[in-house]
Amino acid sequence: MSEDHHDHKPTGIGRWLFSTNHKDIGTMYLWFSFLMLFIGGGMAMIIRAELYQPGMQLIEPDFFNQMTTLHGLIMVFGVIMPAFVGFANWLVPMMIGAPDMALPRMNNMSFWILPFAFGTLISTLFMEGSAPNFGWTFYAPLSTTYGPASTDYFIFGVHLMGISSIMGSINVIVTILNMRAPGMTLMKMPIFVWTWLITAFLLIAVMPVLAGVVTMMLTDRNFGTSFFEASGGGDPVMFQHVFWFFGHPEVYIMILPSFGIISQIIPTFSRKKLFGYSSMVYATSSIAILSFIVWAHHMYTVGMPLAGELFFMLATMLIAVPTGVKVFNWTATMWRGSLTFETPMMFAIAFIILFTIGGFSGLMMSITPVDFQYHDTYFIVAHFHYVLVTGALFAIFAGAYYWLPKWTGNMYDETLGKIHFWISLVSVNVLFFPMHFLGLAGMPRRIPDYALQFTDFNQMASIGAFVFGGIQLLFLYIVIKCIRGGEKATDRVWEGAEGLEFEQLPSPAPFHSFTEAPEVK
Ligand code: CU1
């Protein structure tokens, strides 16, 4: 709106469609992510139902492959990433004392590209032939030479997501670097802001690489190039190098904001300042830098030179050092604190323990000769689900419970929150822990059927999956209930602790309920 217009509050659908308000856009990102969680989660339920017993029962093998592919793509690009962008929109301006994001119209566009990107991706399910069925990593030549016709729509969808992410990252960086309140120096920023600043640089560095690899696919498929086609002088292994040069930093894009959220929550419920603030900043930066030189640990089995395998093994192991610093700092923050165990804290503590399990299995598979045993087995599936579900998703739950009172003006139902936590905690381990054993015993990933001896652990995993999937409906209910009413939240929600988080702000963080439409200037 230009300055000569009167200020007005848009109502109805216009409030959301044309929003330039960081809170409304943050809310839309979070709801979008939540919707995608149920779509991608529904696909996981189909996968686990088919794998409940050996033999083919519910679905065709090709449809199974479509489910694993879309499940992975939707969870990575449609759930975890948008959820963190939603948190960034809500929290970064408030935490640094800025009135909004620096580029509010671009913020609107970043969000509204996403429904089209995922509309395109999901519509492939209804296209002639098949949806993408080559795994979320879409390795050539499976995706190039043998991919279904819908692959071109998949490529377009990935391009759209990339554009959205790059615009979102530019916005985060410009906001943090230019819009901090007086006195808010970089080393005074809340850790969540730091982790997002670093994440945004990672995104800007690697999303163009992803765009590059899908563009090479596009021209290989349609315009006669041979980037990944051996018969034309190309190299399919190069696909894996380019993909994982994007893919490994992408893993950190999904985990650094989680570290940020956990680093806000642990001090609050420990009634202590975060232990080792500056070491947290440096550890986050080190992880980000190292994430660029470890990509080939995903492809030890392609036949790399020994020197390459050694380099990528040792570089990967180095990441354990800054990660260990973080786990140490969180633990030291809790040490001798006056701990209380509200739902956000429970999810945060579970995050520390379970993410560490995922970290350690990652350390195991970083060892090149050992990885030859694990490669393409369920051990890998167990590993990255510990990192991304009990890691990233649990951090999102923790953050959602922690900030729901600020976002809605109401307290969520603590009893229901605890029930959601405990059932999620137990079921997620029943779901993913047996996958370690399946992998060690040699069960390959991405298969719709398996040998008889894998039945018991698969049944455990499926039962865990159905419970874990089902209990997320309770979370949906808790969120809706909290939005619609409940005990009013004060502006010091987490008694005596909230002050710690915002104490560096020049004035107390403003408290806004999102039930009032914001002003548009
Ligand atoms: Cu990696």
Side-chain angles (χ1 to χ4, degrees), residues 207-260:
M207 292 314 280
V209 178
L210 176 67
V213 76
V214 293
T215 306
M216 289 152 98
M217 270 176 72
L218 185 80
T219 61
D220 267 14
R221 285 171 51 80
N222 299 295
F223 304 113
T225 59
S226 307
F227 289 111
F228 308 127
E229 177 62 52
S231 64
D235 181 3
V237 175
M238 187 181 69
F239 175 95
Q240 295 188 32
H241 280 293
V242 184
F243 178 84
W244 286 112
F245 189 81
F246 146 79
H248 189 82
E250 168 65 24
V251 174
Y252 289 90
I253 287 163
M254 291 187 282
I255 209 67
L256 294 184
S258 320
F259 290 166

Side-chain angles (χ1 to χ4, degrees), residues 244 247-249 251-252 291 294-298 316 319 383:
W244 286 112
H248 189 82
V251 174
Y252 289 90
S291 77
V294 298
W295 76 89
H297 62 206
H298 295 271
T316 302
I319 295 187
H383 157 71

Side-chain angles (χ1 to χ4, degrees), residues 91-423:
L91 300 168
V92 166
M94 284 161 71
M95 284 178 164
I96 63 171
D100 202 310
M101 296 294 281
L103 306 160
R105 290 170 201 226
M106 195 165 81
N107 204 10
N108 175 292
M109 199 167 161
S110 306
F111 172 77
W112 280 110
I113 284 174
L114 277 187
F116 293 94
F118 284 87
T120 304
L121 184 66
I122 293 168
S123 71
T124 58
L125 276 172
F126 308 103
M127 288 180 190
E128 207 177 304
S130 138
N133 52 6
F134 30 65
W136 87 273
T137 52
F138 50 97
Y139 280 5
L142 187 59
S143 61
T144 48
T145 309
Y146 305 100
S150 64
T151 304
D152 296 321
Y153 289 85
F154 151 83
I155 290 170
F156 185 55
V158 170
H159 270 305
L160 289 177
M161 293 165 209
I163 292 167
S164 163
S165 289
I166 290 170
M167 292 200 306
S169 313
I170 291 171
N171 220 339
V172 168
I173 292 172
V174 177
T175 306
I176 296 173
L177 295 186
N178 288 321
M179 304 209 15
R180 277 169 290 127
M184 175 61 76
T185 59
L186 288 176
M187 291 307 277
K188 280 187 181 171
M189 296 192 307
I191 287 285
F192 177 75
V193 181
W194 258 114
T195 56
W196 240 112
L197 179 63
I198 293 165
T199 302
F201 277 105
L202 285 182
L203 275 165
I204 289 186
V206 301
M207 292 314 280
V209 178
L210 176 67
V213 76
V214 293
T215 306
M216 289 152 98
M217 270 176 72
L218 185 80
T219 61
D220 267 14
R221 285 171 51 80
N222 299 295
F223 304 113
T225 59
S226 307
F227 289 111
F228 308 127
E229 177 62 52
S231 64
D235 181 3
V237 175
M238 187 181 69
F239 175 95
Q240 295 188 32
H241 280 293
V242 184
F243 178 84
W244 286 112
F245 189 81
F246 146 79
H248 189 82
E250 168 65 24
V251 174
Y252 289 90
I253 287 163
M254 291 187 282
I255 209 67
L256 294 184
S258 320
F259 290 166
I261 290 173
I262 299 305
S263 302
Q264 300 295 135
I265 292 175
I266 296 286
T268 296
F269 296 94
S270 305
R271 277 84 196 170
K272 279 175 68 191
K273 277 196 166 185
L274 181 68
F275 184 90
Y277 172 93
S278 51
S279 68
M280 282 299 209
V281 174
Y282 299 132
T284 311
S285 315
S286 320
I287 292 171
I289 292 164
L290 287 171
S291 77
F292 285 107
I293 56 165
V294 298
W295 76 89
H297 62 206
H298 295 271
M299 41 189 292
Y300 285 140
T301 58
V302 298
M304 272 186 289
L306 180 64
E309 291 185 338
L310 279 171
F311 172 81
F312 286 109
M313 173 169 84
L314 295 168
T316 302
M317 291 173 133
L318 268 183
I319 295 187
V321 176
T323 310
V325 167
K326 283 175 170 291
V327 173
F328 178 84
N329 284 347
W330 291 322
T331 313
T333 304
M334 287 191 280
W335 182 252
R336 296 198 162 179
S338 342
L339 303 180
T340 56
F341 300 97
E342 290 87 345
T343 309
M345 183 63 160
M346 298 301 272
F347 272 109
I349 295 172
F351 170 97
I352 298 175
I353 296 165
L354 298 175
F355 172 79
T356 302
I357 292 178
F360 276 129
S361 58
L363 202 55
M364 288 169 70
M365 60 183 70
S366 73
I367 303 165
T368 312
V370 175
D371 179 74
F372 275 71
Q373 178 77 16
Y374 305 145
H375 189 87
D376 265 346
T377 70
Y378 256 83
F379 192 83
I380 308 292
V381 180
H383 157 71
F384 68 72
H385 282 94
Y386 267 87
V387 173
L388 291 174
V389 179
T390 60
L393 188 65
F394 269 32
I396 290 166
F397 288 156
Y401 281 110
Y402 185 52
W403 283 297
L404 261 175
K406 242 188 172 43
W407 295 340
T408 65
N410 304 320
M411 292 302 291
Y412 62 86
D413 187 323
E414 185 63 44
T415 309
L416 292 181
K418 289 275 169 55
I419 293 171
H420 173 225
F421 168 76
W422 281 110
I423 295 181

